[in-house]
Amino acid sequence: MIRLALASLANRKASAWLTILAIAVSTLLLLGVERVRTQTQENFANTISGTDLIVGARTGSTQLLLSSVFHIGAMNNSLSWQSYEYLQQLPGVAWHIPMALGDSFSSYPVVGTTSAFFEYFQYGNRKALQLSQGDIFHDDDTDAAVLGAEVARRLNLNIGDELTIAHGSGGISFSDHDTHPFIVRGILAPTATPADQALYIPLAGLGLVHGEIVEDEQAHDHDHDHAHEQPVYTLSAVLLGLSNKPLALRLQRQINTYEGEPLTAIMPGLALTELWRTLNLFEKALFAVSALVVATGLLGMLTTLLASLRERRREMAVLRSIGAGPFTIFGLLVSEAFLLAVAGIALGISILFLILGFGADWLLINTGMLLRATPLTAVEWIFAGAVLGAAILLSFIPAWRAYRNALADGLTIRL
Amino acid sequence: MRGTCIELKQLEFRWPGATRPLLQIPELIITRGEHVLLRGASGSGKSTLLSLIAGIHQAATNQVFVLGQDLGKLSQRQRDKLRANEIGYIFQQFNLLPYLSAWQNVVLAQQFSPARRERLREHSESHKYLAKQLLQHLGLNADELERPAHQLSVGQQQRVAAARALFGNPALIIADEPTSALDADHRDNFIEILFDACKKHGTTLLFVTHDGSLAHHFDRAIELAEINTANEEAI
């Protein structure tokens, strides 16, 4: 029967191909959106790991997360150097990364930090930052910068290039700190996280351009103990790593109730989940759109099958005359829908993998989206199966009509 | 071994909702191997009678027997099976699936019929070979065998239809005005070919037409109006 369905479809090549294409495109969209959704969520959750607490001035947890990890939005409040010193000496704090934000270079955010950032910051599954070229800066450097991978590539910057950072986050600023240029010392390897989209300079350098310390003072005394020095007055956020993870909850409460200054401590994992939940709506909208496209594709198939029935009554009568029962006619139409759907889904999946295979690099470079051509997940198989199931279910409509026609027409041939 | 092929006994058939019966036939017997012409004007109930004999529509019990089976007692599925196995049906025209080649159309006859397959098994050759052989016997050349059905002339198409009806030796061939789309030359030629093939295998032929001039070819010619008493009563 499948052979007969195939031959019959081959006879209606044009409409069959169009139907297959419609199903392929809808499958592609459905699976593509699902893949973007899950992998984006995965990448999203991978932006930071290993950090137990993020501390900033009193603010909302989402805002603190966005500004410190994603470099989105400006922090209105800052925390004082004294608070940073307080945080460092809290029991159980294994490492700390200060971050001073607010400056930019060609609209990429500039992060003032210490060498601890390169040592302790982790993303993905506990992956540390890697350099692709050059070297990191030291805490007493004042004119060295390390670039995120995307910054270096987009702005075409190399080791040794000079750059002048601007105050504020806009592309054009009237207060360029051009009296104090920085020299590119290192370029980070790509991480597919917001870390690629920032420039990193030492706090001492940042303080210098802001006029918070004087250059001479910094330069002459190299064996000075920098831990007690104050290169900048204020910080935007501090990332803390704890020696003992369960301590985070208690420490969070302690920081939130710190009396020296109103502070907020958040746990990045929780805050990320919370933030992702607010993006849920987009996710649902995307899914709804792709589901509707699938429905459109399947309705197209239904239309072509129904339209073909009229011209095929003759075919049905011939089949009846050689002994095909009405159920065979029913089965013939369901097989046709099955073949169309399977071909469409297979084509859709092939196109998806072609795109993922050849376009993944382009996507990563141009959108920062990390999509991998990994085998279909269980959920994706279920989606593909659902499309097939829906196609077969829908085909019951033309199949039922053909069945009725076959019974009513019998051996009379209507044209 | 000559038994009855078709037997009608007190057949009365009306369409659901119709007040008067369309067919009322007290008796009709067609023996095996007989070549019978059934003549009737259009609208006289010819097609309905054929669909009852072919088992498309169901008659009441004890009224229609084909090869000894009471079609009124068989289920839809059993009637389909009987038709697939023992009845070759030739339409007026458009007999073929246009997207299959001539020989593929012929081979199709055994698709739903285990009995035809069984009979074909007596020959050692493949279905494809046998179908081509039969078609060539009916006057198609090697090139025409491979052509898709819609590229054949009407006369050639009717021969392919005859070949499909005959393929696997069913007991009965029902031909519903198979020559009405053919001109006189092709018509006589087609009837000759059909007769030859039926004679060779002892196949019963029920040939339905409105054209009485063909009667001289047949063992027997039946006038539907004469055996059908339904209209007489109505008048």
Side-chain angles (χ1 to χ4, degrees):
Chain A
M1 193 189 313
I2 293 274
R3 271 223 327 271
L4 210 54
L6 261 179
S8 182
L9 281 176
N11 184 44
R12 288 169 282 128
K13 270 196 201 91
S15 64
W17 272 113
L18 277 178
T19 307
I20 288 173
L21 209 63
I23 295 176
V25 169
S26 45
T27 308
L28 170 68
L29 201 77
L30 186 71
L31 294 185
V33 163
E34 168 64 11
R35 192 150 277 229
V36 167
R37 197 181 63 81
T38 51
Q39 299 206 342
T40 307
Q41 183 176 14
E42 208 173 283
N43 296 344
F44 190 79
N46 280 345
T47 47
I48 184 167
S49 78
T51 298
D52 297 299
L53 286 173
I54 302 175
V55 185
R58 179 63 45 87
T59 179
S61 66
T62 302
Q63 199 192 356
L64 182 56
L65 182 78
L66 280 176
S67 61
S68 62
V69 177
F70 293 92
H71 313 305
I72 296 171
M75 289 284 282
N76 296 321
N77 304 317
S78 49
L79 77 161
S80 66
W81 192 261
Q82 284 71 33
S83 299
Y84 176 44
E85 285 176 333
Y86 160 75
L87 292 172
Q88 292 174 33
Q89 52 77 40
L90 282 172
V93 172
W95 51 263
H96 44 85
I97 303 171
M99 293 176 113
L101 305 161
D103 285 349
S104 67
F105 176 74
S106 287
S107 80
Y108 285 102
V110 171
V111 180
T113 184
T114 62
S115 55
F117 177 75
F118 305 106
E119 193 172 339
Y120 298 115
F121 185 82
Q122 288 178 328
Y123 67 98
N125 189 18
R126 289 303 189 94
K127 275 192 278 192
L129 292 170
Q130 300 282 332
L131 281 162
S132 67
Q133 290 178 57
D135 209 349
I136 61 168
F137 54 72
H138 300 288
D139 291 344
D140 49 6
D141 288 326
T142 55
D143 59 356
V146 173
L147 309 184
E150 189 186 322
V151 176
R153 196 188 53 245
R154 279 287 179 88
L155 302 180
N156 200 16
L157 291 171
N158 293 306
I159 305 291
D161 285 352
E162 258 187 31
L163 43 93
T164 305
I165 64 171
H167 196 64
S169 54
I172 301 161
S173 168
F174 294 107
S175 57
D176 275 6
H177 304 302
D178 52 7
T179 52
H180 186 93
F182 287 84
I183 293 159
V184 178
R185 177 169 299 172
I187 294 170
L188 295 173
T191 63
T193 71
D196 293 350
Q197 297 153 17
L199 294 81
Y200 305 91
I201 58 171
L203 280 178
L206 190 72
L208 200 66
V209 296
H210 285 173
E212 292 171 32
I213 52 168
V214 187
E215 190 165 7
D216 288 343
E217 195 184 306
Q218 175 72 20
H220 69 77
D221 197 1
H222 273 290
D223 48 13
H224 193 89
D225 187 0
H226 289 282
H228 297 292
E229 200 169 284
Q230 184 180 344
V232 289
Y233 299 139
T234 60
L235 292 170
S236 306
V238 178
L239 309 185
L240 294 181
L242 305 181
S243 55
N244 183 8
K245 302 289 165 195
L247 220 66
L249 213 60
R250 212 180 70 209
L251 221 54
Q252 184 186 26
R253 199 176 313 126
Q254 191 176 344
I255 294 167
N256 281 337
T257 55
Y258 173 58
E259 285 175 1
E261 193 177 16
L263 294 180
T264 299
I266 58 169
M267 289 190 261
L270 269 177
L272 277 170
T273 314
E274 218 170 275
L275 181 55
W276 184 255
R277 222 174 280 144
T278 63
L279 300 176
N280 225 344
L281 195 67
F282 289 105
E283 209 182 297
K284 279 185 183 149
L286 267 179
F287 183 75
V289 168
S290 45
L292 282 176
V293 172
V294 170
T296 315
L298 292 180
L299 282 178
M301 182 193 77
L302 179 63
T303 315
T304 32
L305 282 182
L306 277 175
S308 74
L309 282 189
R310 259 176 67 87
E311 59 192 69
R312 293 174 67 200
R313 292 183 104 161
R314 185 208 308 178
E315 187 182 330
M316 302 303 169
V318 171
L319 288 173
R320 288 283 279 145
S321 79
I322 59 166
F327 269 113
T328 310
I329 305 284
F330 187 90
L332 187 68
L333 275 148
V334 175
S335 324
E336 276 181 29
F338 176 80
L339 286 172
L340 287 172
V342 166
I345 291 167
L347 185 64
I349 292 176
S350 319
I351 297 175
L352 177 71
F353 277 93
L354 271 180
I355 291 176
L356 289 179
F358 292 104
D361 289 343
W362 185 89
L363 272 175
L364 181 59
I365 289 168
N366 288 283
T367 66
M369 234 177 352
L370 180 64
L371 293 181
R372 287 177 299 268
T374 47
L376 289 184
T377 63
V379 174
E380 286 167 330
W381 276 117
I382 288 171
F383 278 12
V387 174
L388 182 60
I392 290 174
L393 220 60
L394 270 182
S395 76
F396 284 1
I397 298 171
W400 173 245
R401 284 196 47 180
Y403 174 89
R404 295 295 305 268
N405 285 349
L407 277 181
D409 292 359
L411 295 182
T412 50
I413 290 188
R414 294 179 200 209
L415 297 178
Chain B
M1 79 151 270
R2 280 208 154 190
T4 309
C5 181
I6 302 171
E7 183 175 9
L8 306 182
K9 272 200 280 192
Q10 301 299 333
L11 169 68
E12 182 175 313
F13 184 80
R14 75 182 77 199
W15 290 106
T19 50
R20 291 201 303 253
L22 178 65
L23 293 170
Q24 235 169 7
I25 300 175
E27 190 183 44
L28 175 67
I29 293 175
I30 295 172
T31 48
R32 288 198 189 209
E34 214 179 347
H35 296 175
V36 175
L37 178 130
L38 180 68
R39 209 200 73 79
S42 46
S44 60
K46 275 183 307 186
S47 302
T48 308
L49 179 58
L50 291 187
S51 78
L52 288 173
I53 294 171
I56 294 286
H57 294 107
Q58 191 166 27
T61 53
N62 260 330
Q63 294 187 347
V64 178
F65 297 84
V66 172
L67 300 167
Q69 304 226 48
D70 182 355
L71 294 192
K73 285 186 183 146
L74 299 184
S75 70
Q76 164 101 53
R77 186 180 286 274
Q78 288 168 319
R79 282 179 281 133
D80 287 337
K81 194 99 269 173
L82 179 67
R83 181 169 67 254
N85 287 337
E86 299 301 346
I87 302 177
Y89 204 101
I90 307 172
F91 294 105
Q92 192 171 344
Q93 54 177 328
F94 307 123
N95 274 289
L96 309 177
L97 298 187
Y99 45 84
L100 296 181
S101 71
W103 71 264
Q104 284 171 327
N105 263 288
V106 174
V107 168
L108 207 57
Q110 50 74 40
Q111 174 113 14
F112 303 102
S113 170
R116 290 201 198 201
R117 281 198 291 274
E118 185 54 45
R119 289 192 289 259
L120 287 166
R121 207 163 289 150
E122 291 168 12
H123 310 267
S124 51
E125 291 91 351
S126 69
H127 289 170
K128 180 177 172 178
Y129 178 84
L130 292 170
K132 287 186 167 182
Q133 197 183 36
L134 180 56
L135 281 168
Q136 274 173 330
H137 186 69
L138 294 185
L140 273 81
N141 65 37
D143 170 52
E144 287 155 355
L145 302 180
E146 299 288 349
R147 247 188 256 170
H150 63 87
Q151 284 178 16
L152 298 172
S153 74
V154 180
Q156 288 164 339
Q157 287 191 25
Q158 289 305 78
R159 286 182 212 182
V160 177
R164 189 180 60 209
L166 290 161
F167 195 58
N169 293 332
L172 169 65
I173 303 278
I174 298 177
D176 183 3
E177 307 236 17
T179 55
S180 65
L182 306 178
D183 56 42
D185 279 356
H186 281 103
R187 188 188 62 199
D188 290 343
N189 182 256
F190 177 79
I191 291 176
E192 243 167 66
I193 285 172
L194 191 60
F195 266 56
D196 273 358
C198 288
K199 276 220 180 79
K200 206 166 138 199
H201 297 107
T203 314
T204 313
L205 175 64
L206 178 58
F207 193 103
V208 181
T209 180
H210 63 275
D211 182 0
S213 70
L214 301 172
H216 64 274
H217 293 280
F218 291 84
D219 305 341
R220 181 151 68 117
I222 301 167
E223 195 71 33
L224 182 59
E226 284 171 14
I227 59 164
N228 183 10
T229 57
N231 287 334
E232 289 164 23
E233 270 175 28
I235 294 166

